[in-house]
Amino acid sequence: MCCLDGSPHEDDPRSAYQQYGRQWETDMMHAGCNNFSGCCIAMFCPPCFACHLRAQAIQGDWNKWKCCQGYICPGCCSCCDDIGHNNDCQKLCLCLEVMFFEPCAISATRIYVQEERQITTDPCDNRLIRFNNLIQLLSCICDIMAIIDNSFRQIARILDLIAHIVYCLTQACMQAQTHLELTIHPTPADYAQAIIVQQPHPQGQVAYSSERAPLMSAQPPPPYTSAPKQY
């Protein structure tokens, strides 16, 4: 799939939220501006912030904790879950998770929040994540080529540096996005009925202004967007 394609993957279960789901309080592209402090903390101390967000996402109920919340390699995660639950050391296991599998842990928290609150996938978020994955893949390929041919060493070093910078920025924006959502809506029950405001939208559409939206049910709720933001 092209890294510039913002559409969800055909096997992504969250694609069902696209029509009736909620929207993130901020997309990843604007998370640095809308949650500057969270973005800075995530940039300079990503593992600690990842631990904090996971604890916030599961609302302090450590019985809900799973390694990467079961989204990454479910078979291996089940072994970790048994160890953590049998020895009542979920917090220690979470620390090990974010230290050794930081990217997976950060993504898992975001996916967990998105599925629990039925939030739509922003196309620009998909592009940023896919671009990051592409850069990491190119860096890995060049590192392998540098082992085979010394002429690739310089470009491999350059790509390694670019890959580190891109990952640092991407994960910071991702964590800032998740943090803002959890700060405004600590639990799924904090979403209330959206209010329709008859105000002209820049594109001539009616804006749905509210920081809260109903949970999905048998009857689909009205479309929801947060209050129009000025960037």
Side-chain angles (χ1 to χ4, degrees), residues 39 62 73 81 94 123 126 128 139 152 163-164 175-176 192-193 220:
C39 189
W62 291 98
C73 191
D81 296 343
L94 174 59
N126 279 344
L128 291 174
S139 176
F152 282 92
H164 286 311
Q175 295 209 77
Q193 191 72 21

Side-chain angles (χ1 to χ4, degrees), residues 148-164:
I148 301 172
D149 187 345
N150 290 338
S151 63
F152 282 92
R153 285 189 176 181
Q154 190 61 31
I155 189 173
R157 290 171 181 169
I158 295 174
L159 272 176
D160 281 345
L161 178 60
I162 295 175
H164 286 311

Side-chain angles (χ1 to χ4, degrees), residues 34-174:
N34 294 331
N35 188 12
F36 180 74
S37 59
C39 189
C40 288
I41 296 173
M43 187 175 297
F44 293 105
C45 195
C48 296
F49 202 46
C51 282
H52 170 71
L53 289 182
R54 181 67 64 79
Q56 196 173 358
I58 62 178
Q59 303 168 41
D61 183 0
W62 291 98
N63 290 323
K64 295 181 180 179
W65 175 86
K66 295 180 181 179
C67 182
C68 297
Q69 292 307 111
Y71 294 112
I72 313 296
C73 191
C76 296
C77 290
S78 61
C79 298
C80 299
D81 296 343
D82 292 338
I83 295 174
H85 292 158
N86 290 340
N87 295 280
D88 195 25
C89 58
Q90 293 94 332
K91 295 181 181 179
L92 174 60
C93 291
L94 174 59
C95 291
L96 295 175
E97 175 191 336
V98 299
M99 289 299 297
F100 291 103
F101 311 107
E102 179 187 299
C104 297
I106 293 172
S107 295
T109 301
R110 179 178 180 272
I111 295 173
Y112 178 80
V113 171
Q114 185 176 4
E115 288 195 347
E116 184 185 46
R117 291 135 192 269
Q118 299 171 335
I119 299 174
T120 61
T121 300
D122 185 83
C124 188
D125 291 357
N126 279 344
R127 294 186 184 98
L128 291 174
I129 294 171
R130 287 166 182 166
F131 176 74
N132 170 75
N133 294 343
L134 175 64
I135 295 297
Q136 307 305 321
L137 179 61
L138 290 176
S139 176
C140 181
I141 293 174
C142 284
D143 284 337
I144 295 174
M145 295 299 296
I147 297 174
I148 301 172
D149 187 345
N150 290 338
S151 63
F152 282 92
R153 285 189 176 181
Q154 190 61 31
I155 189 173
R157 290 171 181 169
I158 295 174
L159 272 176
D160 281 345
L161 178 60
I162 295 175
H164 286 311
I165 294 174
V166 170
Y167 167 74
C168 182
L169 295 175
T170 303
Q171 67 82 23
C173 291
M174 183 180 290

Side-chain angles (χ1 to χ4, degrees), residues 1-7 126-127 130-131 134:
M1 181 176 289
C2 177
C3 68
L4 299 180
D5 183 10
S7 61
N126 279 344
R127 294 186 184 98
R130 287 166 182 166
F131 176 74
L134 175 64

